[in-house]
């Protein structure tokens, strides 16, 4: 029996260690891979895809959206294929018969590239950056939308926001981030005007009540002059409130700007 007790204690200890480590492990399977859309599976388009995937994986792993603008990236993109461990294709028209005379080379495919962590981490070090390890904090979005006479708060139960919520989720996915939207009853009595003026400390408290870790606040306003949306965002981290903006963009791009900025701040890389 004493031997059995020692064995049982060892097994319990190993299980406990696994549970302690699981949050970090659970965050890593998709971290060192990236996906883009290419036309066909030929080498020319594959090389273009490799360059795009390199940009995406570096931003995803680090959270730093400014990396792609660094001059060193020009040389790294030319060697993008060298950094790929493996890749795979998925025909985006799978199950749909070929309907033209050109065969299959012009069909759109998802190209997924997988990378060794050590390779990506070394590239980040060369660029003066670093990985953003662990799970990313879920974010609650407190946003107002305005297009002419049409205006509303983007809540979980606002039907006019269906496309915007989906687009926000699509923007968060490539960065392994998650967004939630408070229900109307979780706004703490804030209307559109009060929401735009609320301090981030108050919104962070409302975010936690909505099951998120942080609040991302902002607004998108349609501008005929800009031929697109003007998007303003703010997020608090380490006692500082950050603000950033995009002008004349689609709401898809407005939400990508929001999530890339949030990732940059929360990963410790500063002002978007």
């Amino acid at each position: 029996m004493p031997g059995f007790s020692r064995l049982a204690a060892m097994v319990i200890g190993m299980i406990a260690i696994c549970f302690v480590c699981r949050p970090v492990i659970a965050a890593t399977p998709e971290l060192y891979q990236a996906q883009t859309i290419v036309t066909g599976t030929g080498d020319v388009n594959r090389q273009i895809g490799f360059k795009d995937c390199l940009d995406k994986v570096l931003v995803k792993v680090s959270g730093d959206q400014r990396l792609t603008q660094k001059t060193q990236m020009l040389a790294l993109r030319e060697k993008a294929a060298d950094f790929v461990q493996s890749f795979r294709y998925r025909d985006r028209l799978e199950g749909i018969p070929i309907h033209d005379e050109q065969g299959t080379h012009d069909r759109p495919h998802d190209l997924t590239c997988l990378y060794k962590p050590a390779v990506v981490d070394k590239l980040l070090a060369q660029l003066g950056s670093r990985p953003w390890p662990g799970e990313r904090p879920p974010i609650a979005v407190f946003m107002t939308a305005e297009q002419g006479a049409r205006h509303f708060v983007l809540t979980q139960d606002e039907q006019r926001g269906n496309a915007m919520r989906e687009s926000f989720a699509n923007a968060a996915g490539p960065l392994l981030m998650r967004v939630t939207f408070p229900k109307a009853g979780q706004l703490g009595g804030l209307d559109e005007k009060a929401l735009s003026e609320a301090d981030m400390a108050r919104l962070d408290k409302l975010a936690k009540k909505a099951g998120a870790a942080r609040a991302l606040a902002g607004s998108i306003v349609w501008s005929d002059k800009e031929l697109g949306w003007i998007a303003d965002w703010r997020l608090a981290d380490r006692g500082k409130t950050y603000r950033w903006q995009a002008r004349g963009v689609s709401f898809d791009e407005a939400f990508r700007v929001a999530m890339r900025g949030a990732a940059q701040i929360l990963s410790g890389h500063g002002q978007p």
Side-chain angles (χ1 to χ4, degrees), residues 71-228:
T71 55
Q72 301 98 306
M73 284 300 303
L74 296 174
L76 293 179
R77 289 188 188 104
E78 292 304 312
K79 301 186 294 182
D82 297 342
F83 308 128
V84 179
Q85 180 184 16
S86 62
F87 64 91
R88 62 176 181 268
Y89 287 105
R90 185 185 72 85
D91 188 346
R92 293 177 65 87
L93 300 179
E94 188 176 9
I96 301 176
I98 298 171
H99 54 272
D100 54 46
E101 298 177 356
Q102 297 180 342
T104 61
H105 74 277
D106 62 344
R107 290 167 70 91
H109 286 70
D110 289 327
L111 171 64
T112 300
C113 295
L114 286 76
Y115 301 84
K116 289 184 177 180
V119 171
V120 174
D121 292 354
K122 183 178 179 180
L123 290 176
L124 289 177
Q126 292 175 14
L127 293 167
S129 189
R130 61 187 184 280
W132 179 22
E135 293 194 57
R136 279 88 202 270
I139 291 175
V141 177
F142 294 85
M143 190 198 88
T144 60
E146 179 181 336
Q147 186 175 20
R150 181 173 177 258
H151 53 89
F152 58 89
V153 176
L154 182 63
T155 58
Q156 189 182 132
D157 35 16
E158 172 54 67
Q159 293 185 352
R160 290 172 292 181
N162 287 338
M164 291 184 179
R165 285 190 295 271
E166 181 180 356
S167 180
F168 234 126
N170 290 338
L175 294 166
L176 290 187
M177 298 180 72
R178 290 179 292 123
V179 291
T180 61
F181 303 90
K183 295 180 179 179
Q186 295 175 318
L187 294 177
L190 297 174
D191 59 15
E192 291 179 51
K193 185 176 186 301
L195 186 62
S196 65
E197 297 174 351
D199 64 75
M200 292 307 301
R202 181 177 182 180
L203 295 180
D204 278 338
K205 289 180 181 177
L206 292 176
K208 288 179 172 61
K209 290 181 180 179
R214 295 292 183 86
L216 170 66
S219 65
I220 61 170
V221 179
W222 176 261
S223 170
D224 290 332
K225 181 180 178 181
E226 299 279 355
L227 297 178

Side-chain angles (χ1 to χ4, degrees), residues 4-133:
F4 176 78
S5 298
R6 286 195 296 271
L7 178 60
M10 290 174 59
V11 171
I12 292 172
M14 292 175 66
I15 292 174
I17 291 172
C18 289
F19 273 104
V20 170
C21 298
R22 188 171 65 174
V24 175
I25 295 172
T28 56
E30 296 181 1
L31 186 59
Y32 289 88
Q33 67 181 54
Q35 187 179 93
T36 190
I37 300 174
V38 295
T39 304
T41 58
D43 183 65
V44 173
N45 287 323
R46 184 184 308 133
Q47 298 304 318
I48 295 173
F50 283 163
K51 293 177 182 179
D52 190 38
C53 281
L54 178 63
D55 282 8
K56 289 181 176 178
V57 76
L58 290 174
V59 171
K60 179 200 279 191
V61 173
S62 69
D64 188 356
Q65 63 174 322
R66 293 172 301 188
L67 289 181
T68 57
Q69 264 104 81
K70 292 200 171 187
T71 55
Q72 301 98 306
M73 284 300 303
L74 296 174
L76 293 179
R77 289 188 188 104
E78 292 304 312
K79 301 186 294 182
D82 297 342
F83 308 128
V84 179
Q85 180 184 16
S86 62
F87 64 91
R88 62 176 181 268
Y89 287 105
R90 185 185 72 85
D91 188 346
R92 293 177 65 87
L93 300 179
E94 188 176 9
I96 301 176
I98 298 171
H99 54 272
D100 54 46
E101 298 177 356
Q102 297 180 342
T104 61
H105 74 277
D106 62 344
R107 290 167 70 91
H109 286 70
D110 289 327
L111 171 64
T112 300
C113 295
L114 286 76
Y115 301 84
K116 289 184 177 180
V119 171
V120 174
D121 292 354
K122 183 178 179 180
L123 290 176
L124 289 177
Q126 292 175 14
L127 293 167
S129 189
R130 61 187 184 280
W132 179 22

